[in-house]
Amino acid sequence: MKKLTVILVVLMSSISLSNAQTQQTSRKEIGSHLFIPFSVESIALYFDCKFALTEKTWLRLNLDNVKVNYSERNYTYNGEYPYSNISFSAGVMAGLEFRVPLGEKFCVYHGPNIGYTTMNQWTKTENPAIPADLRSNRYELIKPFVSYALGLRYKLNTRFSLGAEIMPSVYFSHEVFHNFYNNGYDAIEDKFGFNYSDQVGKIVFTISL
């Protein structure tokens, strides 16, 4: 009976220790970011979620550039006729993040990512010189990409961190201009490119859970 009790105590202790280690290593973070330099046009929903695979390797999942814009002018101005414009964009990204601690507060990180962005825009003009059935046009964009993140973060406390990140990327874009210049025809443009614009940098806000 005593042997059975000892075995049960050891077994329960092992399970408790295993659970404690699992809880300690199963970390996750959520956050968001702002592009730099900041502009009103860059305002959108950016959501980052990260999961610890090991102490220094993390899985990152991003929901990027989610926004809806609507604008219109219901009067003629400087020869430009009334118009309406609505657009929607969204993107997703997944990747790995490798962290290199620099003391207790600072951490350098880097890692590859793959992602996909899309955008749709509808425009309508009231120009009387254009036939009524040709006054609306639509723009479509799909843009898969591969990027590499380089960042530095500073731990403000046990829960909050602040960082800066750059993410140059290589992309392929497929653009379709429906009713191009209101002429009744569609135009298609495909291209490859390297993205390192003046807004590739960003300020990153992170909350550890």
Side-chain angles (χ1 to χ4, degrees):
M1 185 66 179
K2 290 183 179 180
K3 290 184 178 180
L4 179 58
T5 301
V6 171
I7 293 175
L8 288 175
V9 170
V10 172
L11 181 60
M12 293 302 293
S13 299
S14 300
I15 293 175
S16 299
L17 179 60
S18 177
N19 288 337
Q21 292 175 341
T22 300
Q23 292 175 359
Q24 184 178 4
T25 57
S26 298
R27 293 166 296 171
K28 56 185 177 181
E29 299 174 347
I30 59 173
S32 188
H33 58 262
L34 291 175
F35 281 101
I36 48 175
F38 175 77
S39 71
V40 175
E41 294 180 355
S42 69
I43 296 178
L45 173 63
Y46 298 94
F47 181 73
D48 309 330
C49 191
K50 301 179 181 181
F51 303 91
L53 302 178
T54 67
E55 183 180 356
K56 297 181 180 180
T57 303
W58 291 65
L59 171 68
R60 66 182 294 170
L61 303 173
N62 287 37
L63 181 64
D64 285 341
N65 197 35
V66 179
K67 62 180 177 180
V68 177
N69 288 330
Y70 178 79
S71 62
E72 67 174 352
R73 188 178 62 234
N74 56 12
Y75 57 90
T76 301
Y77 178 75
N78 285 344
E80 296 183 2
Y81 294 94
Y83 73 92
S84 61
N85 180 289
I86 185 170
S87 64
F88 168 78
S89 65
V92 293
M93 188 187 75
L96 293 175
E97 183 174 290
F98 306 109
R99 299 184 177 182
V100 181
L102 298 176
E104 295 183 359
K105 294 289 187 179
F106 285 96
C107 173
V108 173
Y109 64 90
H110 62 95
N113 308 277
I114 58 172
Y116 176 90
T117 60
T118 183
M119 176 181 176
N120 280 270
Q121 178 176 287
W122 297 265
T123 304
K124 183 178 181 180
T125 180
E126 298 300 333
N127 187 346
I130 300 174
D133 59 340
L134 296 179
R135 293 179 186 176
S136 298
N137 54 55
R138 180 185 174 195
Y139 168 75
E140 295 180 82
L141 167 69
I142 58 172
K143 187 178 178 182
F145 63 89
V146 177
S147 64
Y148 202 91
L150 298 169
L152 174 68
R153 58 186 290 169
Y154 175 76
K155 183 185 293 185
L156 299 173
N157 52 43
T158 57
R159 184 171 292 272
F160 298 100
S161 297
L162 182 65
E165 178 182 289
I166 60 172
M167 190 178 292
S169 64
V170 176
Y171 67 86
F172 167 77
S173 67
H174 175 74
E175 298 174 278
V176 181
F177 303 85
H178 297 280
N179 189 25
F180 189 55
Y181 280 100
N182 303 99
N183 62 11
Y185 297 95
D186 295 345
I188 299 175
E189 182 177 356
D190 295 329
K191 62 184 178 182
F192 289 91
F194 175 73
N195 182 29
Y196 191 84
S197 68
D198 59 353
Q199 283 197 328
V200 74
K202 45 190 170 181
I203 301 289
V204 184
F205 308 92
T206 305
I207 302 175
S208 299
L209 302 177

